[in-house]
Amino acid sequence: MKCIVCVKQVPDTSGVVAVKEDGTMDRAAMATITNHDDLAAVEAALELKDATGCKVVVVSMGPPPAEGMLRELLAMGCDEAVLVSAREFGGSDTYATSQILAAAIHKIGVESDDIIFCGRQAIDGDTAQVGPQI
């Protein structure tokens, strides 16, 4: 049995927030963290791992710096991390993101007793449609 957890990296705004001259946030200059609601899903999967011995796989779609966030999840006890990262995906809308992540999960392989966790909502206030669409 596997627990596959979809996670989103978000800017770590707990420290200094870099702002560009035009007033927008400079995300490239900021560290990323796991979206808080997704972190709750990871913790639930890890509790299930402790109870059943299942494998926990975290999947994220984002730029290469998201690898740091995934390494932290591996240190928490996740067994495998998958980063779907390609320049072509950079402007994906919600539907495209859902399809890309679903394809990655399909490639990982899903058995009838596997569970897919998705966080409730993203910290940046998006509509959190990716999880249900996957």
Side-chain angles (χ1 to χ4, degrees):
M1 177 176 150
K2 286 187 299 295
C3 287
I4 299 172
V5 187
C6 297
V7 295
K8 180 179 179 183
Q9 76 282 347
V10 294
D12 181 0
T13 57
S14 64
V16 176
V17 176
V19 179
K20 297 179 186 177
E21 287 183 17
D22 65 2
T24 59
M25 186 167 47
D26 185 1
R27 291 177 183 252
M30 300 178 70
T32 59
I33 58 173
T34 307
N35 175 45
H36 297 270
D37 289 315
D38 296 343
L39 190 56
V42 170
E43 290 168 353
L46 290 172
E47 286 178 19
L48 193 56
K49 176 183 175 179
D50 288 342
T52 66
C54 68
K55 178 179 180 180
V56 176
V57 181
V58 288
V59 179
S60 187
M61 184 175 148
E67 290 176 351
M69 174 211 49
L70 292 174
R71 277 193 296 276
E72 288 183 23
L73 297 176
L74 290 169
M76 285 176 59
C78 295
D79 299 297
E80 185 178 339
V82 177
L83 178 61
V84 180
S85 184
R87 185 172 273 232
E88 294 80 10
F89 301 152
S92 297
D93 62 9
T94 301
Y95 180 75
T97 299
S98 303
Q99 294 302 303
I100 293 163
L101 287 171
I105 291 168
H106 180 72
K107 186 165 183 156
I108 292 167
V110 179
E111 303 295 326
S112 62
D113 61 347
D114 290 345
I115 299 171
I116 300 173
F117 285 95
C118 295
R120 182 175 54 90
Q121 183 173 355
I123 196 170
D124 59 6
D126 73 9
T127 55
Q129 296 171 345
V130 171
Q133 286 182 1
I134 289 172

